[in-house]
């Protein structure tokens, strides 16, 4: 059992150290190598000090005991801050990526909306041209059918170039909408993929804050989850080494 406890403690402590160092590097990115070296040494020192202090608690002088205990607690807090930074950065990276894609998606939707509005305007113009023909036919309602037909043909001939240009513009707008939809599809799929990934935390948020506030309180739910991980990760590893030292 002690071997299993030791292996678990080493694994937990190693992972906590890695997350902590990466998180601290994210906070102090200008001195990444120095932070990595310092963090590694401090992590090892913390575990060694905790184990040694547990085995020599009774014969250790009070001041030294107090300092070691304080140093271990401070190092645990430092590790926890690093883990918090690591997990927060991971969440922010994901949120930023989603925000960028959502912005691009919004821009594409606006362009599609503009093209659709153009098509509606072109169709209104066609309707107005048709109305001109209908009004001319209405004015010649008492004339012979031949004259009415000839008048209709004459008016449509005058409108031919304009109708052709409008039809061309409608086709161009429809082709542009198709291109925009092709660009939009993978971005929309990426948004859906991320929404699936954050689905579990949405349920956690709904459980904590209720369905109505779950969307607005998603960040709070993520923060609570990170804090729960932070306050159990490294302290558990240290306490496991202390437990080993007592056996």
């Amino acid at each position: 059992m002690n071997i299993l406890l030791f292996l678990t403690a080493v694994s937990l402590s190693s992972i906590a150290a890695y997350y902590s160092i990466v998180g601290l590097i994210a906070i102090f990115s200008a001195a990444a190598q120095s932070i990595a070296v310092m963090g590694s040494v401090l992590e090892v020192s913390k575990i060694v000090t905790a184990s040694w202090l547990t085995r020599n608690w009774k014969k250790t002088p009070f001041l030294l005991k107090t300092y070691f205990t304080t140093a271990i607690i401070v190092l645990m807090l430092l590790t926890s801050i690093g883990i918090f930074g690591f997990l927060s950065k991971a969440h922010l990276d994901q949120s930023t990526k989603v925000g960028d894609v959502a912005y691009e998606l919004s821009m594409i939707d606006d362009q599609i909306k503009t093209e659709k509005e153009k098509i509606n305007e072109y169709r209104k113009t066609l309707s107005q041209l048709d109305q001109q023909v209908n009004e001319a036919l209405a004015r010649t309602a008492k004339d012979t059918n031949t004259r009415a037909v000839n008048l209709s043909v004459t008016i449509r001939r005058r409108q031919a170039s304009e109708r052709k240009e409008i039809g061309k513009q409608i086709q161009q707008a429809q082709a542009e909408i198709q291109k925009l939809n092709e660009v939009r599809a993978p971005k929309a799929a990426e948004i859906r993929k991320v929404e699936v990934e954050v689905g579990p935390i949405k349920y956690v948020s709904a459980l904590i804050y209720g369905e109505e506030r779950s969307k607005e309180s998603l960040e709070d739910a993520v923060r609570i989850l990170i804090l729960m991980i932070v306050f159990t990760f490294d302290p558990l590893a240290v306490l496991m080494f202390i437990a080993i030292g007592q056996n």
Side-chain angles (χ1 to χ4, degrees):
M1 187 63 185
N2 285 339
I3 295 176
L4 179 61
L5 186 64
F6 175 77
L7 292 175
T8 305
V10 170
S11 300
L12 193 61
S13 179
S14 300
I15 295 171
Y18 171 76
Y19 287 168
S20 174
I21 292 169
V22 173
L24 290 173
I25 289 174
I27 297 172
F28 304 103
S29 57
Q33 292 182 349
S34 300
I35 292 297
V37 173
M38 181 189 70
S40 301
V41 173
L42 287 176
E43 289 293 333
V44 173
S45 300
K46 176 185 63 182
I47 298 303
V48 171
T49 303
S51 300
W52 183 88
L53 189 61
T54 302
R55 295 180 181 275
N56 300 277
W57 180 263
K58 292 182 180 180
K59 59 183 180 181
T60 304
F62 176 77
L63 290 178
L64 186 60
K65 187 188 304 183
T66 302
Y67 176 78
F68 276 167
T69 303
T70 304
I72 291 170
I73 293 173
V74 171
L75 287 174
M76 287 170 61
L77 290 174
L78 184 63
T79 302
S80 298
I81 290 171
I83 295 172
F84 185 88
F86 174 83
L87 296 176
S88 298
K89 183 178 183 299
H91 176 66
L92 288 173
D93 288 345
Q94 184 185 50
S95 299
T96 301
K97 183 179 179 182
V98 173
D100 292 342
V101 176
Y103 176 75
E104 292 175 7
L105 204 60
S106 174
M107 294 295 291
I108 293 172
D109 287 339
D110 287 341
Q111 290 176 312
I112 291 174
K113 182 180 178 183
T114 300
E115 294 299 324
K116 287 182 177 179
E117 289 174 350
K118 287 181 183 179
I119 291 174
N120 290 334
E121 289 298 323
Y122 293 143
R123 285 173 176 167
K124 284 181 182 179
T125 303
L126 286 176
S127 297
Q128 291 172 356
L129 295 176
D130 290 337
Q131 189 176 357
Q132 290 177 11
V133 176
N134 293 333
E135 288 175 354
L137 290 174
R139 287 195 299 269
T140 59
K142 296 180 180 179
D143 296 334
T144 61
N145 288 337
T146 302
R147 184 179 175 184
V149 170
N150 290 337
L151 180 60
S152 172
V153 171
T154 301
I155 295 174
R156 287 189 178 276
R157 280 177 180 172
R158 289 195 212 125
Q159 297 174 348
S161 60
E162 187 176 0
R163 286 178 180 274
K164 183 178 180 181
E165 181 63 24
I166 291 172
K168 182 179 178 181
Q169 295 294 335
I170 289 175
Q171 289 179 351
Q172 288 178 351
Q174 289 173 336
E176 185 64 22
I177 289 174
Q178 184 175 356
K179 289 180 182 178
L180 290 169
N181 280 326
E182 290 174 357
V183 175
R184 185 185 187 281
K187 297 184 182 297
E190 189 174 350
I191 290 287
R192 289 193 295 271
K193 180 181 177 181
V194 173
E195 287 178 347
V196 170
E197 290 175 355
V198 300
I201 192 61
K202 286 184 178 180
Y203 285 108
V204 173
S205 179
L207 179 64
I208 298 173
Y209 297 101
E211 290 289 343
E212 295 181 358
R213 290 188 56 205
S214 61
K215 188 173 182 180
E216 295 79 5
S217 304
L218 183 62
E219 294 296 322
D220 292 338
V222 171
R223 197 173 294 113
I224 290 173
L225 184 61
I226 291 175
L227 288 173
M228 290 172 65
I229 295 172
V230 165
F231 288 119
T232 56
F233 211 141
D234 191 60
L236 178 60
V238 173
L239 290 174
M240 290 175 74
F241 277 107
I242 291 173
I244 293 170
Q246 290 179 341
N247 291 332

